[in-house]
């Protein structure tokens, strides 16, 4: 049987400041960045359900991690 890959893309925002001795004044201030994460699941299609994994479950599991990062410092 051949493998199939499903992907879930999620985005999040987070902030930081650079306090190193060589940092510029601009990067020393609290500032944010936008990120995108892609989670990929590879497997064989389950003949009973017709897919590798329920996409909603992939998104829910990935969101558990993203939620710990989103809008955080």
């Amino acid at each position: 049987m051949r493998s199939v890959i499903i992907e879930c893309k999620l985005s999040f925002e987070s902030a930081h400041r650079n306090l190193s001795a060589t940092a510029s004044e601009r990067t020393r201030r609290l500032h944010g960045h936008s990120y995108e994460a892609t989670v990929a699941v590879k497997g064989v299609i389950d003949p009973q359900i017709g897919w590798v994994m329920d996409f909603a479950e992939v998104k829910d599991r990935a969101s558990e991690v993203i939620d710990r990062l989103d809008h955080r410092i």
Side-chain angles (χ1 to χ4, degrees):
M1 298 189 112
R2 84 184 167 106
S3 293
V4 176
I5 298 172
I6 58 173
E7 292 184 347
C8 176
K9 291 186 180 183
L10 299 163
S11 58
F12 62 97
E13 312 291 325
S14 107
H16 73 110
R17 57 175 104 159
N18 184 348
L19 299 177
S20 72
T22 59
S24 69
E25 181 58 34
R26 192 174 123 214
T27 61
R28 284 178 175 272
R29 292 190 301 260
L30 184 64
H31 64 283
H33 297 277
S34 299
Y35 297 92
E36 184 175 271
T38 302
V39 176
V41 177
K42 180 179 180 181
V44 176
I45 294 176
D46 182 326
Q48 288 187 319
I49 61 174
W51 53 64
V52 175
M53 184 177 190
D54 186 333
F55 186 79
E57 186 178 353
V58 175
K59 188 174 180 181
D60 287 347
R61 289 186 184 196
S63 292
E64 290 175 14
V65 175
I66 297 298
D67 288 347
R68 287 187 268 165
L69 302 170
D70 192 29
H71 287 85
R72 307 288 179 172
I73 298 175

